[in-house]
Amino acid sequence: METVLEQKRKGEAAGAVRSREAADRSRPLARVRNIGVIAHIDAGKTTTSERILFYAGRVHRMGEVHEGTATMDWMPQEKERGITITSAATTCFWKDHQINIIDTPGHVDFTVEVERSLRVLDGAVVVFCGVGGVQPQSETVWRQADRYTVPRLAFVNKMDRIGADFSSVVRQIREKLGANPVPIQIPVGSEDSFRGIVDLIAMQAIGYDDSSLGAKFEVLAIPGELAAVAEKARAALIEAVAEHDEEVLAAYLQSPDVPAAILRAGIRRVTLQHKMTPVLAGSSLRNKGVQQLLDAVVDYLPSPMDIPPVTGTHPKTQEPITRETDDFAPLSALAFKLMNDPYMGRMVFVRVYSGQLKKGQNVFNPRTRKRERVMKLVLLHADDRQEVETIHAGEIGAVVGLKQATTGDTLCAENQPVELERIRFPEPVMSMAVEPKSQADREKLSDALAALAAEDPTCVVSMDTETGQTLLSGMGELHLEILKDRMFREYKVQANAGKPVVAYRETVSAAGRGEHRFERDIGGQRQYAEVVLEVEPAQRGTGNVIEFDVPASRIPGEFRSSLEAGIRDGLLTGVVANYSLVDVSVRIIGGGFHEQESTEMAFRTAGNMALRTAARAGAPVILEPIMSLEIVLPAEHLGDVLNDISARRGHVNDMTSRDTMQVIRARIPLAELFGYSTAIRSLTRGRASYTMEPACFDMVPAAVQQQLLER
């Protein structure tokens, strides 16, 4: 993935880009910020986003997650459960800067929303709980931000909670995430006594007015008991920046008291180079610290001008292509999300990297090789829509009227095409059967499932070849529950849904060889094809690879796409228990054809049968999804929980202490985790909490495989 790799644009280059901005922009590119708010579940992302909107004047009343009134949690399912399910986009303005914000879910079942949001964002605010610190999903979203090289700020939230420890969270960010967190603020007090922050750059304390919901704050002298701590923290901040920035180093050598303006500029440069993560403190629920977080977004996170040019490939020649952030360059935009709006219809969320997307223009999709017309363009505020005429380079919006675009597609100019790298999504780990209650609902169910799958790439619809049932697959029980609820509520489908079951996979554990000669008379016409291929296991998680190592004299080019389609058919159906084959490398090494008798159908069938023969010879095994769990519990229940983990075929990776609690990190097969929330409550009298996320697929034990085959 090519996004922000290092700070490249300075001086003349930045000036040249500015001169290429359209006159009808509402804000210059340098004053635009595209950011995401990411975190572990319940760290306070949506509450922080609500405060940002309130202080920026975007909303006039703060919504609360626990009351179901949060602006960014607009879906009925979000309001009922008090969690974020889908990423919501909005725009607000702060100090004459336009800030485009995407609030993302924290629950692991909806991690796809974080993945596709980070793909198109320039910067991120990572929210940490002042009590929980770095939690499992914190690590997941941090790794996702690393994958897309997104500069970020760390906001230690909930400093008013009992057990909040700012320095402990900073230490965990350094040790668990391998980052370089450097506080630019320290809290004044903690827990019940938390009342403000100390700004280490300006060396002043900030207190908040509760009567104005924190909208008013005052600059105060640093409390005497914190003066020495603040001096030491500022010195550490200056040293951390000077280590990577020559201008701050030069100022430091002249005087240890580096001026605030020079220090601020240095922090920005080092943050954009991914050499430091500024850390801030606050309590979003108590309305403390959010305005200073907004200041930091403006001061330290990148504008679209600060990121390197986006790279892609030419759809035909596969040559690399670079596109500058430039309103007058050829159009290149990435579709990162689809949504079916009850009023607007099908909406495609896009990030424009270069050029301008205009209402009424035709855009080219390299995947479909077709052009489509842009009917409407909208800017978003949660579930509100604002129609616009143009979306400029560096901006995020939505397109209405595209019927064939899907998540990960590129929209570009047909005469200068480019294909940007697609977004990769995890494999579903759980599925459930769905069927219409009556024949009249069959078409409606099919349409609803197609719409849900188009919106969510981790929602996969398939057919069980043995039972003929329609299977809906997703990332977990909650994910499937939400999909089912949306199917009933939004699409008004009358359907029956079975219980969720584990989505197993198959793979080969050794090399295997297979060949098949297809000779048959069909409809009075002779059909002929011969295929020889080899399979071998690929590295886990890399997916399936099909390679041709056979001359065109044996298998001509016109039959190769049909042959590949037949092999993919075989990979989908598997050979052990009809689960999909994954992580298999297939190499076609031989074959034969007849000039008059060979057909595409013959090669498709021969490829399928040869693949099945080779897979059976490759010692096929069944894979099951393994989940990574973090369980926090009182020490007196440790033995019971460890015994339960062992009984569930689990393995403990490590155990640590966190204040008065024990923390267990373990890996357990998903098949053993149905109803685990009830079991853990029973074992610990309701005093334990846990989080889990998919870790990998692994081979099932022989006894379990036998049970699956006997079903």
Side-chain angles (χ1 to χ4, degrees):
M1 301 287 178
E2 296 284 341
T3 51
V4 183
L5 301 175
E6 59 182 0
Q7 173 77 3
K8 285 186 177 179
R9 299 190 177 186
K10 295 179 182 178
E12 294 180 359
V17 174
R18 283 191 196 97
S19 67
R20 300 274 298 177
E21 294 179 23
D24 59 344
R25 275 187 172 276
S26 59
R27 292 289 187 287
L29 259 177
R31 294 184 181 175
V32 174
R33 302 286 183 271
N34 295 313
I35 68 163
V37 184
I38 60 177
H40 182 87
I41 191 169
D42 286 339
K45 297 176 303 304
T46 302
T47 302
T48 302
S49 299
E50 290 294 317
R51 271 49 181 181
I52 287 174
L53 297 179
F54 176 76
Y55 297 130
R58 194 68 177 82
V59 298
H60 301 292
R61 179 182 179 276
M62 292 182 194
E64 301 294 356
V65 174
H66 57 274
E67 294 176 0
T69 57
T71 306
M72 302 296 270
D73 285 350
W74 54 271
M75 291 175 65
Q77 294 85 353
E78 293 176 317
K79 294 178 183 294
E80 291 167 1
R81 291 168 174 80
I83 61 171
T84 302
I85 292 170
T86 184
S87 52
T90 190
T91 299
C92 65
F93 299 92
W94 184 258
K95 294 189 173 178
D96 202 29
H97 284 68
Q98 176 181 329
I99 304 177
N100 302 316
I101 304 171
I102 295 183
D103 175 42
T104 64
H107 199 285
V108 65
D109 282 19
F110 309 107
T111 188
V112 61
E113 295 289 340
V114 183
E115 187 80 22
R116 58 181 167 193
S117 298
L118 285 173
R119 173 68 173 83
V120 298
L121 293 171
D122 302 328
V125 174
V126 189
V127 181
F128 295 92
C129 173
V131 180
V134 176
Q135 297 167 285
Q137 197 64 12
S138 310
E139 296 184 46
T140 300
V141 298
W142 194 274
R143 287 196 302 270
Q144 288 172 308
D146 281 342
R147 190 179 310 132
Y148 296 113
T149 53
V150 175
R152 65 214 80 153
L153 304 173
F155 180 61
V156 182
N157 190 27
K158 302 188 179 183
M159 285 306 302
D160 60 313
R161 288 268 304 276
I162 295 174
D165 188 335
F166 181 76
S167 59
S168 172
V169 177
V170 174
R171 185 172 62 253
Q172 289 179 46
I173 295 172
R174 179 176 295 106
E175 294 173 355
K176 292 186 178 182
L177 303 178
N180 180 28
V182 181
I184 60 173
Q185 299 173 353
I186 57 174
V188 178
S190 64
E191 301 181 347
D192 291 344
S193 63
F194 176 68
R195 58 188 186 276
I197 57 172
V198 172
D199 180 350
L200 298 177
I201 299 170
M203 283 304 280
Q204 59 192 22
I206 298 172
Y208 297 88
D209 173 31
D210 291 334
S211 64
S212 65
L213 299 176
K216 296 179 181 177
F217 57 87
E218 54 182 340
V219 176
L220 307 166
I222 297 174
E225 69 273 15
L226 285 177
V229 176
E231 288 288 349
K232 184 178 179 181
R234 191 176 199 269
L237 168 62
I238 293 170
E239 287 179 16
V241 179
E243 186 178 344
H244 303 288
D245 189 84
E246 293 182 2
E247 292 182 36
V248 173
L249 178 61
Y252 176 69
L253 293 175
Q254 290 182 1
S255 168
D257 187 19
V258 176
I262 294 176
L263 181 56
R264 207 171 272 119
I267 293 171
R268 177 178 179 80
R269 287 189 293 270
V270 175
T271 301
L272 298 189
Q273 293 166 8
H274 311 284
K275 294 177 179 175
M276 166 183 153
T277 302
V279 185
L280 300 90
S283 170
S284 297
L285 189 63
R286 302 291 173 234
N287 312 311
K288 294 177 172 64
V290 178
Q291 295 99 315
Q292 285 66 43
L293 175 61
L294 273 167
D295 289 343
V297 167
V298 167
D299 289 341
Y300 309 127
L301 290 184
S303 74
M305 289 173 53
D306 297 312
I307 68 170
V310 69
T311 60
T313 56
H314 192 284
K316 291 184 178 178
T317 65
Q318 300 303 308
E319 292 180 4
I321 295 175
T322 300
R323 290 281 165 85
E324 299 275 347
T325 305
D326 178 345
D327 283 341
F328 300 102
L331 173 68
S332 65
L334 184 72
F336 67 95
K337 179 174 177 175
L338 266 66
M339 192 174 79
N340 288 292
D341 185 273
Y343 304 106
M344 304 285 272
R346 194 171 191 263
M347 294 190 355
V348 180
F349 288 49
V350 295
R351 159 71 190 260
V352 179
Y353 285 98
S354 64
Q356 302 176 64
L357 197 54
K358 293 179 178 288
K359 180 179 177 180
Q361 83 177 91
N362 289 323
V363 294
F364 180 69
N365 185 336
R367 180 183 62 84
T368 62
R369 299 286 195 272
K370 293 180 180 178
R371 72 173 76 93
E372 291 192 80
R373 190 173 182 81
V374 175
M375 304 303 292
K376 289 181 183 177
L377 294 172
V378 295
L379 297 180
L380 305 142
H381 175 52
D383 59 340
D384 289 340
R385 318 281 177 243
Q386 175 192 344
E387 285 195 43
V388 293
E389 294 296 315
T390 308
I391 300 177
H392 299 90
E395 295 183 340
I396 292 173
V399 185
V400 179
L402 303 183
K403 295 181 180 179
Q404 299 191 24
T406 187
T407 302
D409 281 357
T410 302
L411 306 179
C412 61
E414 188 170 6
N415 60 343
Q416 291 180 289
V418 63
E419 190 162 16
L420 305 179
E421 188 167 353
R422 298 185 68 84
I423 308 169
R424 296 179 182 177
F425 299 109
E427 284 269 333
V429 297
M430 196 172 280
S431 60
M432 68 180 178
V434 290
E435 59 183 26
K437 284 189 175 179
S438 67
Q439 194 65 28
D441 289 305
R442 185 170 297 279
E443 187 175 346
K444 194 183 288 186
L445 173 63
S446 178
D447 292 344
L449 292 175
L452 290 171
E455 282 188 29
D456 184 351
T458 57
C459 165
V460 177
V461 180
S462 60
M463 182 73 73
D464 188 314
T465 54
E466 283 195 348
T467 64
Q469 288 180 310
T470 300
L471 298 179
L472 181 63
S473 302
M475 297 305 297
E477 287 182 271
L478 179 60
H479 189 200
L480 291 177
E481 184 185 330
I482 297 298
L483 290 171
K484 182 173 70 172
D485 189 54
R486 290 188 61 197
M487 192 167 61
F488 296 160
R489 194 180 302 195
E490 289 180 32
Y491 296 97
K492 307 293 190 292
V493 174
Q494 297 296 313
N496 297 317
K499 291 183 178 179
V501 295
V502 174
Y504 292 97
R505 296 287 185 269
E506 297 178 18
T507 193
V508 294
S509 57
R513 187 176 186 274
E515 57 183 281
H516 187 82
R517 178 182 294 170
F518 184 82
E519 292 181 282
R520 192 171 300 174
D521 287 323
I522 300 176
Q525 181 183 350
R526 186 72 172 166
Q527 306 269 352
Y528 177 85
E530 185 179 351
V531 175
V532 183
L533 55 79
E534 292 178 342
V535 299
E536 59 183 25
Q539 188 174 348
R540 193 79 76 238
T542 56
N544 296 323
V545 179
I546 301 174
E547 297 176 344
F548 284 86
D549 188 12
V550 59
S553 60
R554 307 293 295 174
I555 301 179
E558 63 263 30
F559 297 124
R560 295 196 175 198
S561 60
S562 299
L563 171 55
E564 184 174 338
I567 292 170
R568 294 199 182 279
D569 290 343
L571 291 169
L572 280 174
T573 54
V575 293
V576 179
N578 294 325
Y579 301 119
S580 298
L581 278 158
V582 296
D583 303 333
V584 177
S585 177
V586 183
R587 192 161 59 96
I588 297 97
I589 57 172
F593 80 106
H594 191 282
E595 288 187 2
Q596 281 79 39
E597 297 177 357
S598 289
T599 63
E600 291 184 353
M601 190 205 77
F603 269 99
R604 183 165 187 157
T605 306
N608 189 322
M609 301 306 294
L611 183 278
R612 295 179 70 82
T613 302
R616 288 193 185 98
V621 294
I622 296 177
L623 302 175
E624 63 179 344
I626 307 297
M627 309 301 285
S628 178
L629 272 76
E630 182 179 277
I631 308 164
V632 182
L633 71 159
E636 60 262 34
H637 299 294
L638 186 61
D640 292 336
V641 172
L642 289 175
N643 289 335
D644 184 66
I645 290 172
S646 179
R648 294 174 185 272
R649 299 194 283 122
H651 298 280
V652 175
N653 294 334
D654 67 77
M655 292 188 294
T656 56
S657 297
R658 185 184 295 168
D659 299 326
T660 60
M661 306 292 276
Q662 294 290 318
V663 181
I664 302 173
R665 285 189 174 87
R667 287 192 170 187
I668 305 176
L670 176 60
E672 306 291 341
L673 288 171
F674 286 94
Y676 189 65
S677 57
T678 303
I680 194 77
R681 279 198 302 268
S682 175
L683 285 171
T684 62
R685 299 177 186 175
R687 297 177 64 194
S689 63
Y690 76 97
T691 55
M692 69 176 178
E693 62 180 350
C696 61
F697 277 84
D698 205 356
M699 285 190 290
V700 301
V704 176
Q705 178 159 325
Q706 189 59 38
Q707 291 174 8
L708 292 171
L709 294 175
E710 291 172 356
R711 285 183 182 177

